[in-house]
Amino acid sequence: MTHPHARVTLHPDFRVGTVDRRLFGSFVEHLGRAVYTGIYEPGHPTADEHGFRRDVADLTHELGVSMLRYPGGNFVSNYRWEDGVGPVEQRKPFLDLAWRTVEPHLVGTDEFLQWAEREGVEPMMAVNLGTRGVEAAAALVEYCNGEAGTRWADLRIANGRAEPYGVRLWCLGNEMDGPWQIGHKDAHEYGKLAAEAGKAMKLVDPTIDLVVCGSSSMQMDTFGAWEQTVLSYTYDLVDHISMHAYYEELDGDRASFLGSGTGMDRFIRRVVASADAVGAQRRSDKQITISFDEWNVWYLESRFPGESNLPIQRDAPRIIEDVYSALDAVVVGDLLVTLLNHADRVPVACLAQLVNVIAPIMTEPGGEAWRQPTFHPFATTARLARGAALDLRVDAPTFTTTRHGEVPAVTAAATLGDDGALAVFLTNRTDQVVEVELAHTGAIVSLEQGRQMVADHEPAVAGPEHAAKVTQACWSAVDVARAVTPVGTGTTTVRLAPESWTALEGRLARA
Ligand code: AHR
């Protein structure tokens, strides 16, 4: 039987760039149960002496998360960080308007940063440029990174933390182009404020890196113009511009959903072009890179009622706890393929979010923590993708989708470690078996083992039992003997299951 065919050409000398570990970041926002009964639950059977759940921390490690963005998200745009530090019994609950939830302030900057430090995960902090501004932002940098002898650093020391935290990466607000954002601004207002806040923050600590807000999605009316205007104020100051994108299957349009990675690819190319246009106009040699600090599958249009329709709630309400299918996991794997293929311009990315809120990890209060199907492609990519992202040539048939136009039927990414460790990631977006010819002239490739996620047609059902059932049915070891055939020294063929994402590991040696 003949199968549709694609050809992927790789050469060890053709490289996109180095895979930055920060590409495998995630996100913890004060939203729903991400913090309370997510990472933090005093009294839980696995809670440590600080009240943080060991089971969730262990799954975070297994997921391979390198970095965590905190404390938001929309939340940060109305957050007074000073209200979340100092003796817990003196902290007063406040009404977070972003998610209309009473924030108890049991976890604040110190608790989060110390937890991240204990777990060996790099923090990425965001400052409030919605309801606040330059002074509060600079004060927070001083609180986190300052040496003894000034007001805010001394407050940190008085609160029990002598050593500066040394937080390196800082977001200048969140989604400031979005009308839903508390303290939403137009591009000129935000650009000027970000420039002044960033300037002050770098005067406190010149070693920090800054992320300026790009558009909240490519669908925003102001997309493109926003990036140009904001960067016209901040180009020389900032290191990265943010991108956010969420994908979902809408109206049963499976083809478009499976093509989401191509949508992400075009979005990245457009933001890179916008940033480079500003650089070119300034005759600047500096290159702004991308912090893709929110990406995931999120049933935003089809299941989320909208922030303003949420009732006021307290005690860690269940908000946007999307339940994922194996199809969602295939799309997540494919989005990772896109990110790897832009390793030169996307050093930072955050799967939004880590736990309970559109997350790969779910928990029950007082109960167990478990992996959603989307956990697996992320964990596998974070484990295998290291060294250089190779610049592949992919020749594949295409198909036309409603949302993303023409998209390739097969996508691929590959990484090569200094030690010759090779990882190949492949997505088959079609409903047929596809045979991929991997051409590697000048190199001997042996693919030894792999895992694959095959999409299902099952409605996603909440709970650990269903997640385990889906994982068992759809996430499996690749039968390398059947799927992978070496053909001489320069070619290997790989057969991909319909609607699947595959990660193969092996070795590459120069011929
Ligand atoms: O990740 C959930 C929300 O999505 C974030 O708070 C916001 O930045 C985005 O709109």
Side-chain angles (χ1 to χ4, degrees):
M1 180 176 170
T2 56
H3 301 295
H5 185 264
R7 184 179 162 93
V8 175
T9 308
L10 68 81
H11 191 285
D13 290 339
F14 296 162
R15 295 159 180 233
V16 179
T18 303
V19 180
D20 194 311
R21 292 320 299 165
R22 295 174 300 172
L23 203 60
F24 305 108
S26 186
F27 180 22
V28 174
E29 176 169 5
H30 283 258
L31 191 190
R33 300 194 305 118
V35 174
Y36 305 110
T37 74
I39 59 171
Y40 177 83
E41 190 181 339
H44 186 272
T46 73
D48 64 17
E49 72 216 270
H50 309 279
F52 286 83
R53 285 180 66 148
R54 186 71 252 152
D55 55 352
V56 173
D58 288 345
L59 284 174
T60 303
H61 291 299
E62 188 185 319
L63 188 60
V65 167
S66 55
M67 194 190 64
L68 284 168
R69 182 166 174 250
Y70 176 86
N74 296 344
F75 172 82
V76 78
S77 297
N78 72 159
Y79 181 51
R80 288 179 49 83
W81 67 265
E82 303 90 320
D83 295 347
V85 299
V88 174
E89 56 288 356
Q90 288 170 24
R91 300 181 195 171
K92 307 220 173 3
F94 101 107
L95 178 59
D96 160 38
L97 301 177
W99 302 105
R100 308 191 78 219
T101 301
V102 178
E103 164 57 46
H105 281 317
L106 303 176
V107 172
T109 303
D110 287 298
E111 287 80 13
F112 176 78
L113 289 178
Q114 287 171 28
W115 174 71
E117 190 174 74
R118 286 195 300 276
E119 298 304 333
V121 179
E122 184 183 342
M124 174 189 198
M125 294 288 284
V127 298
N128 174 355
L129 294 188
T131 59
R132 308 193 76 192
V134 180
E135 192 179 352
L140 180 57
V141 176
E142 186 189 311
Y143 185 87
C144 292
N145 291 1
E147 299 285 348
T150 57
R151 177 182 176 188
W152 298 108
D154 284 349
L155 179 63
R156 180 195 73 233
I157 294 164
N159 288 339
R161 169 71 185 205
E163 284 300 303
Y165 292 109
V167 178
R168 166 134 182 249
L169 198 51
W170 292 81
C171 302
L172 295 164
N174 176 70
E175 294 191 346
M176 297 309 303
D177 62 325
W180 59 87
Q181 202 68 214
I182 312 290
H184 157 65
K185 296 180 173 47
D186 71 31
H188 290 281
E189 290 164 344
Y190 171 67
K192 286 180 197 170
L193 178 59
E196 289 308 311
K199 181 173 84 185
M201 291 161 74
K202 281 215 176 186
L203 285 169
V204 175
D205 181 354
T207 69
I208 62 173
D209 289 343
L210 296 174
V211 182
V212 73
C213 289
S215 298
S216 331
S217 81
M218 196 166 66
Q219 283 65 47
M220 298 299 291
D221 289 343
T222 49
F223 172 64
W226 173 273
E227 278 73 7
Q228 299 252 332
T229 304
V230 163
L231 284 175
S232 73
Y233 290 104
T234 58
Y235 197 89
D236 295 330
L237 181 79
V238 303
D239 303 278
H240 315 284
I241 185 160
S242 72
M243 291 180 64
H244 291 180
Y246 294 101
Y247 300 93
E248 69 190 290
E249 183 182 357
L250 277 170
D251 305 322
D253 183 359
R254 203 167 165 100
S256 289
F257 185 45
L258 281 159
S260 298
T262 300
M264 182 192 241
D265 176 71
R266 295 203 181 117
F267 186 16
I268 293 172
R269 288 176 198 279
R270 287 171 188 158
V271 174
V272 166
S274 301
D276 287 352
V278 178
Q281 213 169 30
R282 304 168 79 86
R283 298 170 196 84
S284 173
D285 290 330
K286 176 176 176 179
Q287 226 176 34
I288 301 287
T289 49
I290 285 163
S291 169
F292 213 128
D293 43 50
E294 288 186 33
W295 70 269
N296 203 349
V297 171
W298 177 7
Y299 287 84
L300 176 61
E301 283 181 51
S302 47
R303 292 184 205 157
F304 181 55
E307 294 87 353
S308 50
N309 293 321
L310 295 170
I312 291 180
Q313 296 177 90
R314 55 177 71 235
D315 302 328
R318 292 177 190 259
I319 303 178
I320 49 176
E321 299 199 356
D322 281 16
V323 179
Y324 293 121
S325 66
L327 171 64
D328 299 324
V330 169
V331 171
V332 163
D334 195 36
L335 294 171
L336 285 159
V337 166
T338 300
L339 290 172
L340 286 173
N341 283 328
H342 287 284
D344 55 337
R345 295 304 291 265
V346 188
V348 175
C350 303
L351 177 70
Q353 299 196 4
L354 178 71
V355 52
N356 290 330
V357 175
I358 41 173
I361 301 171
M362 298 299 291
T363 69
E364 265 309 310
E368 66 182 290
W370 66 96
R371 305 162 192 81
Q372 295 231 52
T374 53
F375 184 100
H376 304 290
F378 187 98
T380 301
T381 308
R383 182 171 61 82
L384 295 180
R386 57 192 169 88
L390 298 182
D391 192 1
L392 305 179
R393 167 78 197 246
V394 180
D395 296 302
T398 59
F399 61 93
T400 303
T401 65
T402 318
R403 284 175 89 82
H404 311 294
E406 203 169 343
V407 307
V410 169
T411 66
T415 61
L416 181 62
D418 290 341
D419 56 357
L422 176 72
V424 181
F425 306 94
L426 297 157
T427 313
N428 174 6
R429 294 165 165 173
T430 75
D431 58 6
Q432 297 170 61
V433 171
V434 171
E435 194 147 279
V436 176
E437 180 188 347
L438 195 63
H440 42 84
T441 312
I444 300 163
V445 162
S446 54
L447 296 172
E448 289 145 9
Q449 54 183 328
R451 305 283 306 178
Q452 67 178 2
M453 180 67 75
V454 179
D456 57 6
H457 288 262
E458 299 294 314
V461 178
E465 295 81 17
H466 186 78
K469 217 170 89 187
V470 172
T471 300
Q472 198 174 14
C474 304
W475 176 238
S476 58
V478 173
D479 183 349
V480 176
R482 283 188 47 170
V484 177
T485 318
V487 184
T489 53
T491 311
T492 303
T493 65
V494 183
R495 268 164 303 283
L496 301 178
E499 297 185 340
S500 65
W501 177 86
T502 301
L504 292 162
E505 54 182 310
R507 307 208 58 80
L508 181 147
R510 287 170 193 271

